[in-house]
Amino acid sequence: MEVRACAGNMDFTRLWLGLLLPLVATLDFSYHHQEEMEVFLKNVAQNYSSITHLHSIGKSVKGRNLWVLVVGRSPKEHRIGIPEFKYVANMHGDETVGRELLLHLIEYLVTHDGKDLEVTRLINSTRIHIMPSMNPDGFEAVRKPDCFYSNGRENGNFYDLNRNFPDAFEFNNVSRQPETMAVMEWLKTETFVLSANLHGGALVASYPFDNGVPATGTIHSRSLTPDDDVFQYLANTYASRNPNMKGDQCKNKMNFPDGITNGYSWYPLKGGMQDYNYIWAQCFEVTLELSCCKYPREEKLPTFWNLNKASLIEYIKQVHLGVKGQVFDQSGNPLPNVIVEVQDRKHICPYKTNKFGEYYLLLLPGSYTLNVTVPGHHPHLTKVIIPQKSQDFSALKKDILFPFREQLDSIPVSNLACPRIPLYSNLPSHSAATKPTLFLFLVNLFHILFK
């Protein structure tokens, strides 16, 4: 009770202090090109230096910075127990709404910290990484904005970045692009737990898998992860708060009654970013298609912000689902690279603790058995019950102590990372019965521009 009261007092103290913080010049509702975007981001980082950190994770083909703004109480470094969240937009340069939504989200977060209790608690409990544009070259290449297709979709080398990642189901023999490599390296530096990738051209929240094999359900025209219940919940969390993401809002395009879809069910694709995040980065990612028109007129941007603001905030809060904790040996030393997974939902690339011995598992309320495995030792099983009503801005905390009598030797660091190859290749391969039907092929062809 005393801890809860203290935390509450700190929140209200920040609300009062927020009245004294500097203000960012109001961001207008227009499209911001690279130089304008950089000015805005640098202004935010300078005026709110205690809660923001601006850095570039790399360069585009044409040398433009790939900017990421971090928002949190410890913006420059990870803190134990604080989950890492990210939003990425504009990986297709001609899909522009997400880029502007993320700039306005940044403004909303920093200007409401200390003034809005929900935002203040979110910043207290979460480290939020926001990349407004993964493909700045593509955005700058658009000369004539179009609702359906512009030459800025691809990057400066004319590659589709959402077909450019390693694939777990089949070899993706394409030249890996600088923007893709930058994101892959970025994913190695942080323990990302939850993510969303903002697109345009449809209105739907799409969840993994985008590709698949019979073992993941392709015979039923879908491809499901071991965490399908969580992914459907995450997609619905976003879509249900956006009134436009229900029903046939985009005329002459596929109808998604609930505003969500399995990626493969919509159309299969190879080399997508959300599958890569889930399999190789231990990060749950969904793809958010937020506008029927890819590059709408800028006078419509205020409407898009009003439609998506609540969803953007609520989705970040889902990083606190489930259970988190650290794994220790009997001497109290945190253990990195320990496999921690739910017994009946193992990942093809096992989820492991980070260098601080931390694990984060997104789970819905229920009873689960955690299987904790150190190489060379028998698995350690422990039960957890995720309550129906989750704690405010925190997953259930469950530290795990390994019951070894002898001192645990250091865990070998060799072969820790799963190779970036088709990991599902040892499972039943595609057969004639499970290859996309003619209907799926036509859907794929018709919608190839929209994801």
Side-chain angles (χ1 to χ4, degrees):
M1 290 294 291
E2 292 177 1
V3 173
R4 184 181 294 273
C6 180
N9 289 336
M10 288 178 64
D11 288 336
F12 285 113
T13 299
R14 287 199 172 100
L15 287 175
W16 283 106
L17 291 175
L19 299 175
L20 305 176
L21 289 176
L23 295 176
V24 169
T26 302
L27 184 70
D28 61 329
F29 283 100
S30 64
Y31 287 113
H32 298 84
H33 288 264
Q34 184 77 2
E35 290 185 5
E36 298 169 296
M37 184 177 72
E38 288 182 357
V39 169
F40 170 74
L41 293 174
K42 290 176 180 178
N43 184 31
V44 170
Q46 180 178 356
N47 287 334
Y48 294 86
S49 58
S50 65
I51 61 167
T52 64
H53 172 56
L54 178 64
H55 66 111
S56 171
I57 65 163
K59 301 273 191 178
S60 68
V61 169
K62 297 187 176 180
R64 294 183 172 96
N65 280 303
L66 304 175
W67 292 111
V68 173
L69 188 90
V70 187
V71 182
R73 294 287 167 232
S74 179
K76 292 185 179 180
E77 61 183 1
H78 176 72
R79 279 170 44 192
I80 292 172
I82 302 296
E84 309 283 345
F85 174 93
K86 65 181 170 71
Y87 274 133
V88 176
N90 200 212
M91 76 182 300
H92 290 149
D94 63 337
E95 296 172 14
T96 56
V97 171
R99 174 187 177 109
E100 297 304 322
L101 289 180
L102 292 190
L103 293 179
H104 283 277
L105 177 63
I106 288 169
E107 180 188 53
Y108 183 79
L109 291 174
V110 300
T111 58
H112 284 75
D113 179 38
K115 300 176 184 177
D116 179 280
L117 189 58
E118 181 182 51
V119 170
T120 303
R121 288 181 173 175
L122 194 60
I123 293 174
N124 288 348
S125 60
T126 321
R127 193 158 171 253
I128 305 163
H129 305 247
I130 300 176
M131 177 189 280
S133 180
M134 183 181 163
N135 184 7
D137 293 352
F139 179 80
E140 299 298 335
V142 177
R143 292 291 174 261
K144 187 178 180 181
D146 189 85
C147 276
F148 302 105
Y149 180 81
S150 301
N151 60 354
R153 175 184 174 88
E154 294 85 11
N155 76 339
N157 285 334
F158 304 103
Y159 279 84
D160 186 329
L161 297 179
N162 206 31
R163 308 292 189 279
N164 198 242
F165 285 82
D167 193 274
F169 302 96
E170 54 185 313
F171 282 104
N172 191 23
N173 298 318
V174 296
S175 174
R176 212 72 67 210
Q177 294 301 292
E179 298 89 348
T180 308
M181 294 298 295
V183 169
M184 290 171 64
E185 289 301 312
W186 182 35
L187 296 181
K188 295 177 184 177
T189 66
E190 304 286 356
T191 307
F192 287 116
V193 179
L194 180 61
S195 173
N197 175 19
L198 280 59
H199 285 248
L203 279 170
V204 68
S206 173
Y207 56 89
F209 287 121
D210 277 329
N211 206 349
V213 292
T216 61
T218 56
I219 194 170
H220 303 293
S221 299
R222 65 188 184 191
S223 185
L224 306 183
T225 73
D227 299 290
D228 186 65
D229 59 336
V230 179
F231 272 116
Q232 289 197 43
Y233 172 83
L234 291 170
N236 187 65
T237 294
Y238 196 98
S240 65
R241 286 164 177 80
N242 183 331
N244 265 16
M245 294 177 75
K246 293 291 182 71
D248 186 17
Q249 296 292 338
C250 299
K251 304 302 180 185
N252 301 320
K253 297 178 183 177
M254 284 190 70
N255 184 18
F256 305 102
D258 296 319
I260 70 173
T261 184
N262 172 252
Y264 186 93
S265 295
W266 187 8
Y267 61 91
L269 71 86
K270 176 174 64 176
M273 187 163 71
Q274 70 176 10
D275 285 6
Y276 182 87
N277 267 267
Y278 177 71
I279 291 170
W280 280 291
Q282 303 186 185
C283 177
F284 286 40
E285 178 168 291
V286 302
T287 298
L288 302 173
E289 304 276 354
L290 301 179
S291 60
C292 300
C293 179
K294 293 190 170 201
Y295 203 138
R297 298 189 306 273
E298 61 185 17
E299 54 262 33
K300 293 190 175 184
L301 291 176
T303 300
F304 283 115
W305 170 244
N306 291 329
L307 288 169
N308 285 279
K309 180 175 70 173
S311 295
L312 289 166
I313 295 295
E314 191 65 27
Y315 186 80
I316 299 175
K317 291 163 62 176
Q318 306 316 306
V319 77
H320 299 289
L321 281 176
V323 60
K324 67 180 180 182
Q326 287 177 279
V327 180
F328 299 98
D329 65 17
Q330 275 203 329
S331 299
N333 301 308
L335 298 175
N337 305 313
V338 174
I339 297 172
V340 182
E341 300 202 295
V342 174
Q343 196 169 29
D344 60 350
R345 54 177 74 198
K346 295 181 179 179
H347 302 96
I348 194 138
C349 182
Y351 280 25
K352 300 178 180 179
T353 56
N354 65 14
K355 64 182 180 180
F356 304 107
E358 289 180 289
Y359 72 94
Y360 296 84
L361 295 176
L362 296 181
L363 298 167
L364 299 184
S367 180
Y368 302 90
T369 299
L370 301 186
N371 189 327
V372 187
T373 306
V374 173
H377 296 269
H378 293 296
H380 174 65
L381 302 180
T382 183
K383 289 191 175 181
V384 296
I385 297 177
I386 310 298
Q388 284 292 333
K389 187 176 182 180
S390 62
Q391 304 173 50
D392 286 342
F393 299 96
S394 177
L396 176 71
K397 192 172 188 298
K398 176 74 172 180
D399 290 338
I400 299 168
L401 179 67
F402 257 88
F404 297 131
R405 293 180 181 176
E406 73 279 7
Q407 186 175 1
L408 186 66
D409 295 331
S410 61
I411 299 173
V413 296
S414 59
N415 301 320
L416 289 178
C418 292
R420 271 61 172 175
I421 60 173
L423 299 173
Y424 280 90
S425 60
N426 61 331
L427 299 177
S429 61
H430 288 277
S431 65
T434 60
K435 285 186 180 294
T437 62
L438 176 61
F439 172 74
L440 274 177
F441 172 76
L442 292 174
V443 169
N444 187 11
L445 185 64
F446 188 74
H447 290 281
I448 195 71
L449 303 180
F450 301 149
K451 193 172 183 183

